[in-house]
Amino acid sequence: MAVSTGAPGAPPAVHRGARAVISWALWDWGSSAFNTVILTFVFTVYLTESVAPDPESGSQALGVALTVAGVCIALVAPVTGQRSDAGGRRKMWLAVHTALVITCTAGLFFVQDDASYLVLGLVLLAIASVFAEFATVNYNAMLLQVSTPATIGRISGFGWGMGYFGGLIALVVVLIGFVQPDVGLFGVTADEGLNIRAVALFAAAWFAVFALPLFFFVPEAPSSGEPVRAALISSYVVLGKRLAWMWREERRTLGFLVASAIYRDGLAAIFTFGGVIAAGTFGFGPSEVVVFAISANLVAGLGAFLGGRADDRFGPKAVIVAALFGLVVVGCLLLVLPSGKAAFWVCGLTLAIFLGPTQSASRTFLARIATPGKEGEVFGLYATTGRAVSFLGPLAFSGFITLFGSQRAGMGGIVLILVVGLVTMIPVRSPDRPADPGEVAAGDAS
């Protein structure tokens, strides 16, 4: 049977009502509990500090587990997106992957603060990370089902903002209800790590509750028109032909995937090492780091909302380039300003303002240029390219520290990654804009 490698498929079914948009964005609000509470601030710290024999070995084991998860994502994400496009089952696979993330997150409740439970915790965390990324591929692809060329920017920004605010509120509830008090909600205490294990149940319930509206009020996408292949290997054959076709006919898409992979790794490095720099260079204590993280989430969410409106008015490339330039300038200021807390508060929150718009506009840029019916596949490639260069930020951060002998110099490595991403992004041609800014016609904008 002949394989279609580039012909546009059916356009996404668009549901323009506010209920569909809010339901779609609530999934981001819910998933933020996994990303913020489990992966970033609470449960991974519990694994490395309390479950592992010592923080060093725990951190090393966590790094290995997440690296394996990253490899799985890089290899499989484009194919999962492609198969959900072909079957017209994008929402169904989003539901399956979401349920698996929730199940694994809830399973973390059984990880007690004993080294014998470390492997269980790492396996559940790695599996949840893989399926969270697969779910995000389909979730991002659904952006075109709840937006139009004239509204895609603000709706994407609304989704990112909801994610930031959801993570902020979930983190506050966790800190006040479970982490800080001697006796937390439902009478939990720190015995056998029960308060942190209860946080896992809370995060799972949070995600489940806020994910549900999407499955009721956002329509399923139509099939791309390609047959669903039973053999997984045949999907990779199709993917290879699609990439060859994109090289001939959609060079802009490949250019954007490369550029965004580089600067997104710089953004990830800011998230990963921001707290480390705050504590080690600017003298923040543990509670001050958490307070800063909450404040940064709030500012980044507001930035995402404002950036979404700028996206619809000026286009996603203008927003990305302006935001990256702002990140580079503020990052350079952090390299030369005195090591006071006030300087980090001002520069750190300014960085946060630019983070949300960069992430939101990157999603809309790709959504605007994706071939109709192939959104899942191209967002799968978006995930893959991001994972393929995920070593750049950590390598630049640690490399600059080694070269210049100070932790502050590591920020210079992150700035360098952002500069390379910015320079690589500049030649990429902007998506076409709708002729009438007030137009609400459905379809692709490329």
Side-chain angles (χ1 to χ4, degrees):
M1 180 179 292
V3 175
S4 171
T5 59
V14 177
H15 192 96
R16 302 171 187 153
R19 185 172 67 176
V21 172
I22 293 172
S23 299
W24 175 81
L26 280 175
W27 188 94
D28 216 337
W29 176 289
S31 68
S32 64
F34 175 75
N35 295 318
T36 304
V37 175
I38 300 299
L39 274 184
T40 305
F41 291 112
V42 180
F43 207 89
T44 49
V45 175
Y46 168 71
L47 279 180
T48 56
E49 298 287 334
S50 301
V51 180
D54 57 82
E56 290 74 21
S57 63
S59 297
Q60 183 180 29
L62 177 64
V64 170
L66 293 181
T67 298
V68 172
V71 171
C72 292
I73 292 165
L75 292 176
V76 182
V79 172
T80 61
Q82 175 199 104
R83 293 169 76 88
S84 65
D85 288 340
R89 295 180 176 180
R90 188 175 295 160
K91 188 165 71 170
M92 185 203 78
W93 283 112
L94 176 60
V96 170
H97 295 149
T98 298
L100 288 169
V101 175
I102 292 169
T103 301
C104 289
T105 301
L108 292 171
F109 173 78
F110 299 101
V111 180
Q112 298 182 25
D113 57 351
D114 184 275
S116 62
Y117 290 90
L118 179 61
V119 172
L120 173 63
L122 292 173
V123 169
L124 288 173
L125 196 66
I127 294 173
S129 298
V130 170
F131 287 111
E133 194 72 48
F134 291 170
T136 301
V137 168
N138 285 307
Y139 172 76
N140 285 338
M142 293 179 76
L143 172 61
L144 287 169
Q145 295 169 232
V146 295
S147 65
T148 70
T151 63
I152 188 172
R154 74 193 69 175
I155 290 176
S156 179
F158 177 66
W160 273 109
M162 289 285 280
Y164 277 118
F165 292 142
L168 183 157
I169 293 174
L171 188 60
V172 169
V173 172
V174 164
L175 288 174
I176 296 176
F178 297 98
V179 176
Q180 288 184 338
D182 293 331
V183 179
L185 295 175
F186 311 110
V188 300
T189 66
D191 293 341
E192 297 183 336
L194 181 60
N195 60 334
I196 306 300
R197 291 159 53 203
V199 165
L201 291 179
F202 166 80
W206 180 279
F207 194 0
V209 168
F210 289 108
L212 280 177
L214 181 148
F215 303 109
F216 287 109
F217 302 120
V218 179
E220 181 61 275
S223 169
S224 68
E226 288 189 355
V228 181
R229 292 158 180 82
L232 190 62
I233 189 66
S234 63
S235 295
Y236 284 100
V237 173
V238 173
L239 179 63
K241 293 181 178 181
R242 274 281 295 157
L243 287 171
W245 185 86
M246 290 172 71
W247 175 256
R248 296 191 305 270
E249 305 292 339
E250 292 184 355
R251 198 77 58 90
R252 173 177 58 180
T253 302
L254 292 179
F256 174 72
L257 289 173
V258 171
S260 68
I262 296 171
Y263 70 69
R264 282 186 292 132
D265 198 54
L267 302 183
I270 292 175
F271 283 110
T272 303
F273 300 112
V276 174
I277 294 172
T281 300
F282 292 89
F284 279 51
S287 60
E288 291 175 304
V289 171
V290 174
V291 171
F292 175 79
I294 292 172
S295 303
N297 261 28
L298 175 62
V299 171
L302 292 173
F305 280 124
L306 296 175
R309 293 189 173 276
D311 184 329
D312 285 332
R313 182 168 183 179
F314 303 109
K317 181 179 177 179
V319 173
I320 293 169
V321 170
L324 287 176
F325 182 78
L327 288 168
V328 169
V329 170
V330 178
C332 289
L333 287 175
L334 276 175
L335 289 172
V336 299
L337 288 176
S339 299
K341 293 180 181 178
F344 187 84
W345 268 103
V346 173
C347 290
L349 292 182
T350 305
L351 284 173
I353 290 174
F354 295 117
L355 288 173
T358 310
Q359 294 169 312
S360 174
S362 297
R363 177 164 63 187
T364 64
F365 191 109
L366 192 57
R368 288 179 190 271
I369 64 176
T371 301
K374 304 289 187 181
E375 296 87 2
E377 180 181 77
V378 78
F379 274 107
L381 288 170
Y382 187 67
T384 291
T385 52
R387 293 288 176 169
V389 300
S390 60
F391 64 91
L392 287 178
L395 178 63
F397 180 77
S398 59
F400 269 57
I401 291 175
T402 302
L403 285 174
F404 298 101
S406 73
Q407 187 189 65
R408 180 189 285 241
M411 188 68 202
I414 298 174
V415 169
L416 177 61
I417 297 298
L418 293 172
V419 169
V420 174
L422 173 59
V423 171
T424 310
M425 181 65 194
I426 288 173
V428 179
R429 183 166 55 88
S430 298
D432 297 331
R433 302 285 308 288
D436 178 7
E439 180 185 4
V440 289
D444 180 52
S446 62

